[in-house]
């Protein structure tokens, strides 16, 4: 059996440890979402907390971990005999990113249900996690429909499995912990809101703390059992403190004053809905119980807000979650001025004594910087107010803050290397306000990851047909199954009213929904695009397309070209936020190596096709169509090389859109010519808007018409 790294041996990460401990004290808090860069011991901390949870009494032999004192009346393994309980440690169940729906919620044997009328149910991970911990690593990479099922079960405390009118329900109450690396993409706001608390973690920049982390990890890897034995006393003390806080929790008083403070804070940060107020109240109550107090105080409200509100505050697209601590303190200060708190009666134990009499630091104290075992949860008093994530700088600056246009207006250079306005590199300009774009999709029918862009065969969607099952049957097409079984009833000796169904009769539903695509942006950043107002509008358009890609669950990549070559500014990723940041910092200037940008796109798409062959690409070229790179002696012109590269992409069957950025009274139509070479669709900036008066008659589906004509 693998020895788990001790929770009390974790160095630093005060906020993460406190959030996990508060959920251990009060599972009603609603779980934790841990956001942080790779290699910050997120998984280690989550696995360690499970070993601190008290043992649970379960009905012997029950696959759903029913409590013998109050068994679930709808348990599929019930009814249970009395006095059949046994104690076992609380489980920690891990949900893999690639898990299927049946693996998560369980599977019904449809064949037995139809032929024998028996509800044969195989439990899933939700049943295994009941009364324990369910851990989802890289939760942001989990399919949306699995996240919906997971969070619904966490909110209702039960899991429902329904297949063609056959349903099973069982209890599913667990501590939900998800970890994610924001570089790989964000969760949807409504899914973020379903996690009770969120914590940002990052590697320490303190040399002594980093040394201690390495020292302890090497000691653990060399002798896990011996290392755990050295921390056993601290682990036992933490278990006792958790048990004491759980016992105290029902008696903690959340007074009207504390409730008004919570409401003032949530209103001050303009959070949506009422879940934030409820979670903050539960967290503040758990904080008071953890500190051994019977009343919720201002410091509890502040600490709860730092954990419960960062991911719920209203923010601009692509802004990371965060909370302004100065604003929080100002709201609480104003509340104190309007409603001063009466002098508290400290009581016989004093205001700061923990349940074991050792003070808020818990067993072992908080003065040890890391050179010896830190008892309890670590840094004690600092856990009462965990450090909040720093307020991020807006990724989309307000256009009004951009510099004024230089004299001379928007004159466009020819992309040369001279000293003209368009020749040298210019500093990045802010993007214009994003807008809602029309949907651009890939023609045909795909089979990629579930999303909201192009038509595809998916596990969820409208039923379009039936076929023989491929593997385990999960989506029964009842009508097709009955039609397949009906001709054989007499030969099978049917005498009664039932239908005799064999495995060969079963048919599964073929469903059509929408998939997410790989949207690869190729953005012209040359001197011909460098006029400030023009580039601001172009960046606003690309930012709008990025927002659309985020909402449609796409992967995105970003290629820029200017000067002498093209650059892969952002390899294909699920993090649309990262693409927005790269776009924000994009400088302009120099020549226009259009061919290099297209060839770089072809190479990136070739590699991605090998990595993820089911995800279809959509190429979005943002340019005015000019090509002004240095001409090679005796070779093709820049325009000819760009046309050749475009025809190669068209030959690969890549669906494409050319966003025509040409402006001014005289138009050369170069972007339209490029679109014809790509067999793609030219779209002006005005046509890109969903609310544009100009109808976008030509969309990406015309690619198929162009190909037929070719």
């Amino acid at each position: 059996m693998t020895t788990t790294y001790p929770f009390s041996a974790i160095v630093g990460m005060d906020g993460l440890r406190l959030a996990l401990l508060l959920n251990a004290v009060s599972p009603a808090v609603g779980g934790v979402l841990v956001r942080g860069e790779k290699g910050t011991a997120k998984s280690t901390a989550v696995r360690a907390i499970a070993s601190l949870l008290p043992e649970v009494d379960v009905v012997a032999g029950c696959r759903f971990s029913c409590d013998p004192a109050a068994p679930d009346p709808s348990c599929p393994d019930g009814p249970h005999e009395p006095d059949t309980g046994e104690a076992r440690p609380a489980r920690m169940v891990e949900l893999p990113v690639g898990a299927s729906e049946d693996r998560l919620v369980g599977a019904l044997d449809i064949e037995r249900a139809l032929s024998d009328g028996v509800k044969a149910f195989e439990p899933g991970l939700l049943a295994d996690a009941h009364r324990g911990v369910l851990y989802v690593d890289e939760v942001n990479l989990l399919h949306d429909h699995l996240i919906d099922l997971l969070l619904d079960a966490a909110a209702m405390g039960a899991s429902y499995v329904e297949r063609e009118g056959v349903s099973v329900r069982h209890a599913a109450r667990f501590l939900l912990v998800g970890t994610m690396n924001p570089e790989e993409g964000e969760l949807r706001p409504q899914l973020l809101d379903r996690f009770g608390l969120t914590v940002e973690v990052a590697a320490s920049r303190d040399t002594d703390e980093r040394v201690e982390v390495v020292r302890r990890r090497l000691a653990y890897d060399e002798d896990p059992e011996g290392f755990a034995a050295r921390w056993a006393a601290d682990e036992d003390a933490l278990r006792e403190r958790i048990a004491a806080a759980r016992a105290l929790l029902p008696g903690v008083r959340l007074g009207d004053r504390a409730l008004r403070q919570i409401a003032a804070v949530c209103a001050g940060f303009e959070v949506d809905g009422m879940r934030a107020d409820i979670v903050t109240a539960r967290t503040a109550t758990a904080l008071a119980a953890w500190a051994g107090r019977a009343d919720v105080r201002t410091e509890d409200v502040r600490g709860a807000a730092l954990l419960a509100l960062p991911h719920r505050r209203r923010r601009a697209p692509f802004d990371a979650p965060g909370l302004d601590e100065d604003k929080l303190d100002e709201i609480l200060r104003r509340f104190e001025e309007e409603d001063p708190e009466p002098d508290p009666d400290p009581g016989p134990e004093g205001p700061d004594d923990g349940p074991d009499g050792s003070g808020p630091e818990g067993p072992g104290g908080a003065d040890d910087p890391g050179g010896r075992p830190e008892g309890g949860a670590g840094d004690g008093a600092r856990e009462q107010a965990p450090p909040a994530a720093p307020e991020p700088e807006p990724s989309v600056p307000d256009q009004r803050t951009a510099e004024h246009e230089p004299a001379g207006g928007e004159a466009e250079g020819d992309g040369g290397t001279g000293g003209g306005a368009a020749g040298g590199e210019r500093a990045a300009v802010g993007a214009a306000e994003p807008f809602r774009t029309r949907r651009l999709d890939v023609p045909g029918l795909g089979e990629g990851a579930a999303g909201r862009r192009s038509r595809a065969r998916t596990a969820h969607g409208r039923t379009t047909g039936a076929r023989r099952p491929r593997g385990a049957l999960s989506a029964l097409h009842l009508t097709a199954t009955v039609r397949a079984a009906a001709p054989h009833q007499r030969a099978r000796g049917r005498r009664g009213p039932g239908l005799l169904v064999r495995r060969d009769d079963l048919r599964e539903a073929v469903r059509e929904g929408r998939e997410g695509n790989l949207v690869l942006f190729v953005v012209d950043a040359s001197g011909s695009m460098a006029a400030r107002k023009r580039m601001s509008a172009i960046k606003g358009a690309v930012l709008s397309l990025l927002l659309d890609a985020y909402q449609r669950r796409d992967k995105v990549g970003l290629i820029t070209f200017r000067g002498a070559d093209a650059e892969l500014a952002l390899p294909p990723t699920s993090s649309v936020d990262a693409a927005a940041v790269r776009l924000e910092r994009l400088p302009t200037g120099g020549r226009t190596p259009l061919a290099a940008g297209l060839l770089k796109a072809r190479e990136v798409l070739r590699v991605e096709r090998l990595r993820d062959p089911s995800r279809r690409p959509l190429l979005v070229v943002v340019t005015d169509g000019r090509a002004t790179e240095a001409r090679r002696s005796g070779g093709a012109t820049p325009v000819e090389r760009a046309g050749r590269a475009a025809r190669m992409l068209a030959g690969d069957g890549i669906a494409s859109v050319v966003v025509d950025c040409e402006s001014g009274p005289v138009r050369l139509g170069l972007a339209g010519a490029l679109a014809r070479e790509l067999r793609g669709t030219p779209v002006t900036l005005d046509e890109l808007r969903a609310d544009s008066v100009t109808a976008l008659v030509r969309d990406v589906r015309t690619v198929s018409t162009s190909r037929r004509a070719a």
Side-chain angles (χ1 to χ4, degrees):
M1 181 178 177
T2 304
T3 302
T4 304
Y5 191 92
F7 188 85
S8 51
I10 296 172
V11 179
M13 298 201 300
D14 303 347
L16 171 58
R17 291 186 297 170
L18 178 60
L20 292 172
L21 288 167
L22 292 178
N23 274 273
V25 170
S26 176
V29 166
V32 187
L33 176 64
V34 187
R35 298 163 42 89
E37 58 197 22
K38 53 186 176 294
T40 49
K42 301 186 295 291
S43 300
T44 298
V46 174
R47 293 186 177 99
I49 192 65
S51 63
L52 297 178
L53 298 179
E55 289 189 335
V56 294
D57 293 326
V58 299
V59 174
C62 178
R63 297 174 297 168
F64 302 88
S65 302
C66 280
D67 185 350
D72 182 7
S74 60
C75 175
D77 284 354
H80 298 298
E81 297 294 331
D83 302 325
T84 58
E86 61 181 12
R88 65 160 175 79
R91 293 174 179 160
M92 196 201 76
V93 177
E94 295 192 41
L95 174 62
V97 170
S100 65
E101 180 179 338
D102 286 347
R103 184 72 185 98
L104 176 64
V105 301
L108 280 169
D109 190 333
I110 301 296
E111 182 181 2
R112 291 191 62 191
L114 288 176
S115 59
D116 303 333
V118 176
K119 291 184 181 180
F121 180 67
E122 184 65 29
L125 295 176
L126 292 180
D128 294 340
H130 181 44
R131 305 177 67 196
V133 179
L134 181 61
Y135 171 46
V136 188
D137 193 15
E138 303 294 351
V139 64
N140 52 324
L141 302 183
L142 203 63
H143 285 175
D144 285 347
H145 75 280
L146 292 183
I147 296 178
D148 292 335
L149 291 171
L150 178 65
L151 295 178
D152 284 344
M156 296 186 297
S159 175
Y160 295 85
V161 183
E162 298 195 10
R163 296 287 188 274
E164 304 298 334
V166 180
S167 61
V168 172
R169 174 205 173 277
H170 65 83
R173 291 183 293 274
F174 45 81
L175 167 56
L176 176 62
V177 182
T179 58
M180 59 174 282
N181 183 350
E183 295 176 357
E184 295 295 333
E186 290 285 354
L187 279 173
R188 308 199 311 265
Q190 60 266 43
L191 298 182
L192 276 174
D193 185 55
R194 299 294 287 272
F195 282 92
L197 311 179
T198 187
V199 180
E200 296 275 351
V201 295
S204 173
R205 300 297 183 257
D206 181 81
T207 302
D208 292 337
E209 194 166 288
R210 294 176 74 97
V211 167
E212 186 60 25
V213 170
V214 175
R215 181 182 292 121
R216 294 187 188 183
R217 186 70 209 190
L218 293 178
Y220 170 78
D221 292 341
E222 182 178 348
D223 181 14
E225 289 77 11
F227 184 84
R230 292 195 294 275
W231 290 86
D234 298 280
E235 294 286 279
D236 290 340
L238 261 183
R239 289 189 190 93
E240 292 174 4
R241 186 173 179 188
I242 290 173
R246 280 190 170 189
L248 179 61
L249 183 66
V252 174
R253 179 179 174 273
L254 180 64
D256 184 68
R257 188 175 188 278
L259 280 172
R260 294 180 64 82
Q261 279 183 318
I262 291 169
V265 168
C266 292
F269 282 102
E270 298 182 330
V271 297
D272 294 324
M274 296 300 299
R275 184 176 284 118
D277 304 63
I278 295 170
V279 172
T280 304
R282 289 172 175 167
T283 307
T285 304
L287 272 166
W290 177 248
R293 294 193 297 268
D295 290 284
V296 174
R297 298 183 179 176
T298 299
E299 57 263 36
D300 300 322
V301 173
R302 184 182 190 277
L306 290 174
L307 291 169
L309 299 187
H311 57 304
R312 292 188 170 92
R313 69 177 181 86
R314 187 172 299 170
R315 56 186 188 276
F318 306 123
D319 279 358
L323 201 69
D324 186 342
E325 290 193 59
D326 292 337
K327 181 177 179 179
L328 173 61
D329 292 334
E330 175 63 21
I331 293 173
L332 292 174
R333 184 188 62 78
R334 288 202 308 266
F335 185 88
E336 291 291 340
E337 292 175 354
E338 296 170 1
D339 186 8
E341 183 177 10
D343 294 334
D345 180 8
E349 293 185 357
D352 295 324
D353 286 343
D356 56 359
S358 59
E361 295 84 359
D367 297 329
D368 191 344
R372 58 173 295 276
E374 315 147 302
D379 296 326
R382 283 179 291 173
E383 291 177 346
Q384 299 295 326
E391 182 75 2
E393 296 181 1
S395 60
V396 186
D398 192 330
Q399 188 182 1
R400 290 170 298 179
T401 64
E403 300 176 12
H404 294 292
E405 297 297 324
E410 298 183 34
E412 298 177 15
D414 62 1
T417 57
E425 178 176 311
R426 294 190 176 191
V429 299
E433 192 70 22
F435 52 85
R436 188 167 65 89
T437 66
R438 293 181 179 271
R439 188 181 70 207
L440 305 172
D441 54 11
V442 179
L445 193 63
E447 293 186 350
R452 296 185 178 180
R453 183 171 296 279
S454 305
R455 293 175 55 232
R457 291 190 179 93
T458 58
H460 301 273
R462 64 186 183 90
T463 301
T464 59
R467 66 185 177 193
R468 292 183 182 273
R470 299 177 180 177
L473 178 66
S474 58
L476 177 74
H477 195 296
L478 185 58
T479 305
T481 299
V482 171
R483 282 203 305 262
H488 308 292
Q489 296 305 296
R490 181 174 298 177
R492 292 173 183 174
R494 174 190 170 192
R495 296 292 183 267
L499 187 69
L500 297 180
V501 179
R502 304 281 174 83
R503 180 171 294 277
D504 290 342
D505 302 327
L506 298 178
R507 299 292 184 270
E508 68 179 2
V510 176
R511 291 173 175 166
E512 182 180 311
R514 293 201 172 268
E515 66 178 359
N517 298 110
L518 166 59
V519 182
L520 182 61
F521 293 92
V522 180
V523 180
D524 185 348
S526 65
S528 67
M529 307 278 283
R532 296 187 66 84
K533 286 184 179 178
R534 183 180 177 197
M535 196 62 199
S536 177
I538 292 167
K539 282 189 175 183
V542 178
L543 189 67
S544 303
L545 289 168
L546 284 171
L547 180 59
D548 182 69
Y550 166 74
Q551 293 169 340
R552 299 190 187 280
R553 316 293 181 261
D554 295 317
K555 289 179 68 175
V556 297
L558 178 63
I559 293 173
T560 62
F561 59 93
R562 66 185 183 90
D565 205 356
E567 175 191 3
L568 179 59
L570 180 72
T573 176
S574 298
S575 179
V576 179
D577 306 65
V581 172
R582 300 294 202 286
L583 179 70
E584 162 76 27
R585 300 170 181 171
L586 178 65
T588 57
R591 294 185 182 272
T592 313
L594 177 57
L598 297 176
L599 291 174
K600 174 69 75 172
R602 185 170 186 247
E603 175 62 20
V604 170
L605 293 176
R606 183 188 67 82
V607 174
E608 284 301 308
R609 191 180 296 115
L610 296 175
R611 290 177 177 171
D612 190 358
S614 64
R615 189 180 288 268
R616 298 186 295 161
L618 175 63
L619 181 67
V620 179
V621 185
V622 184
T623 181
D624 57 7
R626 300 188 185 191
T628 58
E629 57 186 306
R631 183 167 180 172
R632 301 169 186 172
S633 177
T637 66
V639 173
E640 291 171 341
R641 288 202 294 272
R644 186 182 307 154
R647 289 190 293 273
M648 293 169 66
L649 281 163
D652 292 340
I654 305 299
S656 59
V657 173
V658 178
V659 180
D660 185 354
C661 301
E662 192 173 22
S663 61
V666 179
R667 308 236 176 171
L668 302 178
L670 298 176
L674 176 65
R676 289 191 293 273
E677 296 283 12
L678 286 166
R679 299 182 192 172
T681 304
V683 179
T684 66
L685 291 177
D686 180 59
E687 290 173 333
L688 196 60
R689 292 178 176 270
D691 56 355
S692 171
V693 177
T694 305
L696 185 57
V697 177
R698 299 164 300 173
D699 66 13
V700 185
R701 284 190 290 271
T702 60
V703 173
S704 56
T705 305
S706 301
R707 288 175 182 166
R708 287 196 298 270

